Amino acid sequence: MRVRAIVGSVCLIGLSSSISGGATPHDRSLANFHSPSANIRCAINAQRVVCVSIDPARAVRIVAGKKADRRAFLELSAGSVLKYGQTTTLGRFSCASSSAGMKCRDRTTGHAFRISRLSTALLPKRAAPAGGGTTPPGGGCNPNYSGACIPNSPTDLDCGDISARGFRVVGTDVYNFDGDGNGIACESI
């Protein structure tokens, strides 16, 4: 089984490319990136996103239109660094890097996962994408943030889920928007 994972990873590495936003629905080329700690590595394209934790060895993925699932560990090339607090989007998929781990979501279905050194979590499907910068109907703004109306959400949010950028954390950073801990959330995407 380990040989298959290594052979599969060689195929993935051969297809890797730099991160870009211009994916077509049939784009099979992969963009590889990793967390600043280099422990989390991911590959993303128009059909799927897969991330691995090097130590301990584990993997999760989302295939377009399906739920996130845990996978057997496979080797992925490191690719570019996705700094804490940054998000990358390719087609329907979005991944946000934070010191708490990497969170990736299928923005069309809402299926998501989070992977870190400590654990992997398959996150519940979100009913509808959250806005940012406007008052959400009936939900109000989260008091932990200033400079943008961040909705009170029963599910986890990341910077790719909202349009607001560069707002301040004035309380507890409940959504881990400020990955570098400097008090400014969702600085870049």
Side-chain angles (χ1 to χ4, degrees), residues 132-143:
T134 61
T135 303
C141 301
N142 191 303

Side-chain angles (χ1 to χ4, degrees), residues 76-168:
L76 291 178
S77 65
S80 305
V81 175
L82 186 61
K83 295 178 183 176
Y84 296 142
Q86 290 186 331
T87 300
T88 188
T89 300
L90 196 143
R92 66 192 289 155
F93 298 105
S94 174
C95 291
S97 176
S98 77
S99 58
M102 192 74 67
K103 179 179 160 191
C104 297
R105 177 175 306 280
D106 180 331
R107 297 176 314 135
T108 303
T109 65
H111 295 296
F113 66 77
R114 183 181 305 274
I115 184 169
S116 70
R117 185 178 305 275
L118 301 175
S119 67
T120 58
L122 307 180
L123 302 174
K125 181 178 174 180
R126 183 174 308 130
T134 61
T135 303
C141 301
N142 191 303
N144 291 298
Y145 304 99
S146 173
C149 181
I150 305 304
N152 286 311
S153 175
T155 61
D156 192 28
L157 299 176
D158 61 46
C159 294
D161 297 325
I162 60 172
S163 60
R165 297 288 171 262
F167 52 94
R168 296 199 62 75

